[in-house]
């Protein structure tokens, strides 16, 4: 298929002197002014035209709030600060014509340093990236981004169009990586892939590809970007006034429907950033009630399993996703809730066992040492050990069937919750209590709680008959 994004025809003048654009995806023609009103999105097929950095910044930032970084280049790369629904952010917006030369890279590093010192989150909008002259300067960008992340500032990357090479590889390190419909990400450049004897990448892609490849957290159409980005910054705890909640709010992936009276919402984050997105383990940023922000991990349920869910349960990619999301929770101080349904391990494919064992071990190691409160909810009697692994939390709640199943394994839940409708209140109670414990008792209180997680894990590991679960996180962690 032709690489349509790159050969995209520019606007043309019609008979009456009006400017038009032709959608390269569906072939329809529409007046340029109308296309601009629609944020350059085709009204017929939802194709997202590439557009200028200034227009994209105008769409995202509060009107008149952009202040360019002193001495920064103008044009296809805009660097500076702005507000997003009143929330201060450092913004870097590049369009498809930017060339990353030394001066661009230096200005970007200056922006990152300023964001770190002034405690601002970073929003980096990337488009088709070219230019290799900057390669020797790029490690400086990595270092500045690491420093920004170490300072606890969220970094959101938004991919608009195809991204290749170093900037694309950098985007994979973002806290959250969002992609416009049709965006592609290739950490290797097309010419490198061609030299390696592979076909050139198709440039127009359906959005699911970026998700199923495990690269992006979510796909964001242009019209939703401003509201959703502000919402995500809010869920990550970035300072600023509460933004309007995107409508409709997505309810939690409760096994038995949305709990009555709960005002919470859920934003699903996909992928392990390397090999794919495992539907057997879902995760995302969530809010319980009005203001309790947390990270949610939910294993597929016996009832209502998604169709894409593999029949034999959570695979290596699922555990890698879990590790990625748990680390995100740790960095932003978000308590973690795990909802555990029936789940098993991929035991059928022998050759994958080492990979599965290593990724499960890494996820468990992360879970057991996470410096934030963790609450596990056992929803069903579980016949596989994988779901049980996620019960090694500070507090363990269980529905009656699951509580009985846990007792058989010598484990006692901290609270038996009578019905799923009672879960939100029980969760809020335990989370508030734990948050207080963590806040008041400091490292000492935390170490007692962490010890409790390890004791739970040790009991589970001793009970487990499957050798996979017996491999301790420490052992797998040392395997390098
Ligand atoms: Zn179209």
């Amino acid at each position: 298929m032709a690489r349509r994004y790159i050969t995209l025809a520019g606007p043309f003048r019609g008979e009456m002197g009006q400017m038009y654009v032709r959608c390269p995806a569906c072939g329809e023609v529409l007046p340029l002014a109308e296309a601009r009103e629609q944020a350059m999105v085709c009204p017929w097929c939802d194709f997202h035209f590439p557009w200028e950095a200034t227009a994209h910044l105008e769409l995202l930032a509060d009107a008149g709030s952009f202040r360019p970084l002193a001495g920064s280049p103008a044009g296809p790369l805009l660097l500076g600060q702005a507000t997003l629904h009143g929330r201060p952010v450092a913004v870097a917006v590049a369009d498809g014509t930017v060339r990353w030369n030394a001066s661009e890279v230096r200005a970007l590093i200056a922006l990152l340093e300023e964001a770190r010192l002034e405690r601002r989150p970073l929003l980096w909008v990337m488009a088709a990236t070219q230019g290799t002259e900057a390669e020797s300067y790029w490690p400086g960008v990595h270092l500045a981004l690491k420093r920004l992340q170490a300072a606890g500032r969220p970094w959101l990357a938004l991919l608009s169009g195809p991204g290749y090479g170093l900037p694309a590889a950098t985007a994979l390190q973002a806290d959250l990586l969002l992609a416009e419909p049709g965006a592609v990400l290739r950490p290797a450049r097309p010419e490198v892939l061609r030299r390696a004897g592979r076909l050139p990448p198709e440039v127009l892609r359906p959005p699911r590809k970026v998700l199923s490849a495990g690269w992006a957290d979510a796909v964001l159409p242009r019209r939703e970007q401003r509201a959703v980005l502000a919402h995500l910054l809010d869920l990550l705890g970035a300072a600023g006034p509460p933004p309007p909640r995107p409508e409709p709010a997505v309810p939690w992936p409760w096994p038995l429907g949305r709990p009555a009276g709960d005002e919470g919402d859920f934003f699903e984050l996909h992928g392990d950033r390397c090999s794919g997105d495992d539907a057997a383990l879902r995760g995302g940023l969530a809010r319980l009630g009005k203001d309790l922000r947390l990270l949610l991990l939910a294993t597929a349920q016996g009832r209502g399993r998604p169709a894409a869910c593999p029949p034999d349960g959570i695979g290596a990619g699922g555990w890698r996703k879990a590790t990625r999301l748990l680390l995100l929770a740790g960095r932003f101080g978000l308590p973690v809730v795990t909802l555990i349904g029936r789940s098993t391990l991929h035991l059928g494919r022998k050759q994958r066992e080492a990979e599965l064992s290593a990724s499960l071990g890494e996820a468990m190691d992360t879970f057991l040492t996470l410096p934030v409160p963790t609450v596990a909810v056992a929803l069903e009697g579980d016949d596989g050990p994988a779901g049980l692994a996620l019960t090694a939390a500070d507090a363990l709640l269980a529905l009656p069937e699951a509580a009985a199943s846990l007792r058989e394994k010598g484990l006692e839940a901290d609270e038996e919750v009578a019905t799923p409708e009672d879960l939100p209140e029980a969760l809020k109670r335990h989370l508030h209590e734990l948050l207080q414990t963590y806040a008041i008792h400091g490292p000492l209180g935390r170490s007692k709680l962490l010890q409790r997680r390890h004791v739970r894990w040790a009991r589970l590991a001793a009970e487990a008959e499957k050798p996979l679960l017996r491999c301790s996180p420490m052992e797998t962690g040392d395997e390098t």
Side-chain angles (χ1 to χ4, degrees), residues 289-315:
K290 268 202 172 73
D291 52 9
L292 192 54
R293 296 178 295 111
L294 50 93
L295 186 113
L296 184 69
L297 286 180
T299 68
Q301 314 305 320
R303 287 163 280 228
R305 280 168 91 91
C309 175
D312 44 356
I314 304 166

Side-chain angles (χ1 to χ4, degrees), residues 23-28 42-47:
C23 172
C26 70
E28 291 287 342
C42 174
W44 290 283
C45 73
D46 206 38
F47 174 75

